[in-house]
Amino acid sequence: MMELKTDASIDAMHAAGQVVGRALTAVRQAAGIGVSLLELDEVAREVLREAGATSPFLGYRPSFAPTPFPAVICASVNDAIVHGIPTAYRLRDGDLLSVDCGALLDGWAGDSATSFVVGRPDPADLRLIETAERALAAGIEAAVVGNRIGDIAHAIGRTCRQAGYGIPSGFGGHGIGRRMHEDPEVPNEGRPARGIPLRPGMVLAIEPMLIASGKNAYYEAEDGWTLRTSDASRAAHAEHTVAITTEGPRILTSRQPT
């Protein structure tokens, strides 16, 4: 069931979203050659602790998962699309890292993701990441009263496909509020003017996921969480929590530039 949020609730979600933004900024600043994914997870944990927030990721176990998620960030490297579990893996020069983070603060959730390259970037990776951000911006621009979910999906999908990238089928964004995952689903590809109407008070996590090769196929890794591209091509992920308001879309997980 979809809950329309009041202005006060959206303000509270903005507070949670700012914690997420600070965590992602801190993780990006800490990431470097030789730094482990577990060390980055600890950086995010400290930001949450200082804010008095908890993690909706830690201990989360959906029906498909063999075990509860053991971390507060998803850290997906190179061919990992999403849901990467932080491990002792140490980042190498040129790695493409996607980091997803959430926070629960005063009963409300925020969720956001960013992708970047550690060390010397390959121009192809920069183009992939830039397109993920453009797809996210296009989806947010379509998140206005009077449009429908399909308009967001179409804007994201068109941006990705025009650039020649694949979109992992069956994965996309979602409603968010008191819980990290709420109705409705927000696909990353679809037809405009279809789906439920966008109404003031809806809050959505909009999150494009791109595959560099242009193919859509992926597989689930042995850990039961990480999704990897089937052809070992690289992937990027971008996400913001966005409120639908009469004044236009309001990004609740904005972060300071690094």
Side-chain angles (χ1 to χ4, degrees):
M1 181 177 178
M2 183 177 63
E3 176 190 9
L4 297 179
K5 280 71 176 179
T6 64
D7 289 346
S9 297
I10 290 172
D11 286 342
M13 292 189 69
H14 179 257
Q18 293 308 288
V19 176
V20 177
R22 292 198 297 274
L24 288 175
T25 297
V27 167
R28 182 163 186 168
Q29 290 173 340
I33 298 169
V35 176
S36 77
L37 302 181
L38 283 172
E39 289 169 340
L40 296 182
D41 185 68
E42 183 54 40
V43 168
R45 286 176 189 250
E46 181 59 27
V47 173
L48 295 182
R49 280 193 292 264
E50 290 179 354
T54 58
S55 170
F57 290 16
L58 184 63
Y60 179 59
R61 189 178 184 182
S63 58
F64 68 80
T67 58
F69 196 77
V72 305
I73 63 171
C74 297
S76 305
V77 181
N78 296 334
D79 64 328
I81 306 168
V82 287
H83 302 164
I85 295 176
T87 65
Y89 175 83
R90 295 191 177 277
L91 292 165
R92 301 171 183 174
D93 189 19
D95 276 347
L96 194 168
L97 176 63
S98 297
V99 181
D100 194 351
C101 185
L104 288 169
L105 183 68
D106 297 328
W108 295 99
D111 187 11
S112 185
T114 187
S115 296
F116 55 91
V117 176
V118 175
R120 293 169 293 182
D122 185 318
D125 289 339
L126 295 181
R127 179 174 175 269
L128 178 67
I129 293 168
E130 187 271 335
T131 305
E133 293 290 344
R134 282 197 297 111
L136 175 58
I140 293 172
E141 185 177 1
V144 296
V145 176
N147 273 358
R148 292 175 177 265
I149 287 289
D151 293 298
I152 298 175
H154 177 70
I156 293 171
R158 178 178 57 191
T159 302
C160 298
R161 296 298 187 189
Q162 286 179 347
Y165 296 125
I167 301 169
S169 56
F171 282 86
H174 49 88
I176 183 172
R178 299 179 189 275
R179 294 175 291 109
M180 180 171 59
H181 290 117
E182 297 183 351
D183 292 332
E185 294 183 358
V186 186
N188 283 332
E189 195 164 29
R191 298 175 64 181
R194 300 294 181 94
I196 65 172
L198 302 180
R199 300 166 58 191
M202 293 175 65
V203 183
L204 308 173
I206 300 173
E207 51 178 322
M209 306 164 196
L210 284 64
I211 297 176
S213 65
K215 298 180 180 179
N216 306 333
Y218 59 88
Y219 68 95
E220 185 180 274
E222 291 183 0
D223 62 23
W225 278 96
T226 309
L227 300 184
R228 296 189 178 277
T229 61
S230 292
D231 57 5
S233 63
R234 294 196 170 196
H237 179 204
E239 178 184 18
H240 272 309
T241 297
V242 180
I244 311 297
T245 79
T246 54
E247 289 78 34
R250 179 183 177 188
I251 299 173
L252 305 182
T253 47
S254 56
R255 48 189 177 266
Q256 294 297 318
T258 57

